[in-house]
């Protein structure tokens, strides 16, 4: 008799992947805060669509029912919450998004070295794209600056942890300083942007001065 070969079990393959998530920090009254969300959606429909969203409840004191109502209100606006932070786990129900921890903005604060010989010179991290970013494409580089030797098409998106340099027209969305880099900048040779954002503060096309349209600009 021939011995039957024992089937080998395949190991589950796990991969790590990071995403840039929007962190919402609700304030009271909640209805006024939701009205600001509605205004953002009205100016830029689909801005939050498909984006990971985390709710930070450390600035408000909501009951379990209040948290549930907030989540429902966001879901009604097609905003799906990936996780919740800044609240006791006892206030969450099993049907709510999980309680997250360990999130960090990766802000590098300048500090003086203790010893002169311990000082390490580091070069800024950057990403260079030699081709245009076409409509529908998304470029995400949270580690540093992004430089594009071309234009950014309408409907395209560029997200950077540092500054964004565009040697062409900016017709899509550009979000710089996403890791809390408040001194980040956005440069372009021709501004026709749908949205600009630096460290979470944004302007849509309607907010940008019409006198700047079609001209070189710095945000």
């Amino acid at each position: 008799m021939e011995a039957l070969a024992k089937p080998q079990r395949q190991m589950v393959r796990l991969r790590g992947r990071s995403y840039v998530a929007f962190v919402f920090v609700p304030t009271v009254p909640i209805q006024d805060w939701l009205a600001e969300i509605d205004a953002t959606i009205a100016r830029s429909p689909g801005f939050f669509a498909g984006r990971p969203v985390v709710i930070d409840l450390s600035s408000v004191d909501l009951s379990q029912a209040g948290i549930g109502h907030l989540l429902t209100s966001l879901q009604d606006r097609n905003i799906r919450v990936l996780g919740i932070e800044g609240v006791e786990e006892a206030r969450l129900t099993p049907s709510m998004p999980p309680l997250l921890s360990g999130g960090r903005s990766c802000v590098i604060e300048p500090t003086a070295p203790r010893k002169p010989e311990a000082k390490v010179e580091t070069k800024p991290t950057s990403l260079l794209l030699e081709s245009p970013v076409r409509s529908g494409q998304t470029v995400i580089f949270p580690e540093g600056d992004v430089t594009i030797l071309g234009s950014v098409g309408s409907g395209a998106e560029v997200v950077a942890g540092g500054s964004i340099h565009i040697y062409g027209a900016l017709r899509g969305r550009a979000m710089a300083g996403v890791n809390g880099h408040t001194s980040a900048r956005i440069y372009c040779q021709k501004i026709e942007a749908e949205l600009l954002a630096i460290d979470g503060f944004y302007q849509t096309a309607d907010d940008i001065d019409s006198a700047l349209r079609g001209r070189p600009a710095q945000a």
Side-chain angles (χ1 to χ4, degrees):
M1 297 179 62
E2 295 183 358
L4 296 177
K6 185 177 180 180
Q8 295 182 349
R9 297 179 59 185
Q10 293 185 352
M11 297 182 65
V12 177
R13 189 176 184 182
L14 302 177
R15 294 179 176 177
R17 185 168 297 171
S18 61
Y19 295 88
V20 176
F22 288 124
V23 178
F24 285 4
V25 184
T27 56
V28 291
I30 295 296
Q31 290 302 321
D32 290 350
W33 180 78
L34 288 172
E36 291 296 326
I37 297 294
D38 290 335
T40 300
I41 295 175
R43 288 192 297 264
S44 183
F47 179 55
F48 300 114
R51 292 295 184 189
V53 172
V54 175
I55 300 295
D56 182 358
L57 299 177
S58 58
S59 298
V60 294
D61 184 15
L62 297 179
S63 64
Q64 189 177 86
I67 296 174
H69 183 267
L70 174 60
L71 293 173
T72 300
S73 299
L74 292 175
Q75 186 174 5
D76 291 342
R77 292 162 171 81
N78 294 321
I79 298 175
R80 296 189 176 184
V81 179
L82 174 70
I84 301 174
E85 62 182 15
V87 67
E88 298 87 354
E89 189 173 6
R91 297 196 186 187
L92 305 181
T93 66
S95 61
M96 292 180 180
L99 184 66
L100 301 181
S101 61
R104 54 195 177 93
S105 61
C106 300
V107 179
I108 300 177
E109 295 291 344
T111 56
R114 295 181 179 180
K115 296 180 181 180
E117 60 272 17
K119 184 177 180 180
V120 178
E121 295 292 338
T122 59
K123 295 182 179 179
T125 305
S126 61
L127 173 67
L128 174 64
L129 299 178
E130 297 184 358
S131 58
V133 181
R134 304 189 184 281
S135 178
Q137 291 183 321
T138 298
V139 176
I140 300 178
F141 188 71
E143 290 81 9
D145 294 358
V146 173
T147 301
I148 301 171
L149 303 182
S151 299
V152 176
S154 177
E157 189 172 73
V158 180
V159 181
S163 297
I164 298 175
H165 307 258
I166 301 171
Y167 290 89
L170 170 57
R171 299 185 178 92
R173 301 172 180 173
M175 290 179 280
V178 295
N179 288 333
H181 186 18
T182 58
S183 61
R185 296 290 184 268
I186 299 172
Y187 306 91
C188 66
Q189 293 297 315
K190 185 178 181 182
I191 185 166
E192 297 176 355
E194 298 170 1
L195 180 140
L196 302 173
I198 296 179
D199 188 28
F201 294 93
Y202 65 90
Q203 283 188 337
T204 61
D206 293 338
D207 300 322
I208 300 173
D209 190 346
S210 59
L212 297 176
R213 308 296 291 188
R215 300 179 59 187
Q218 172 190 172

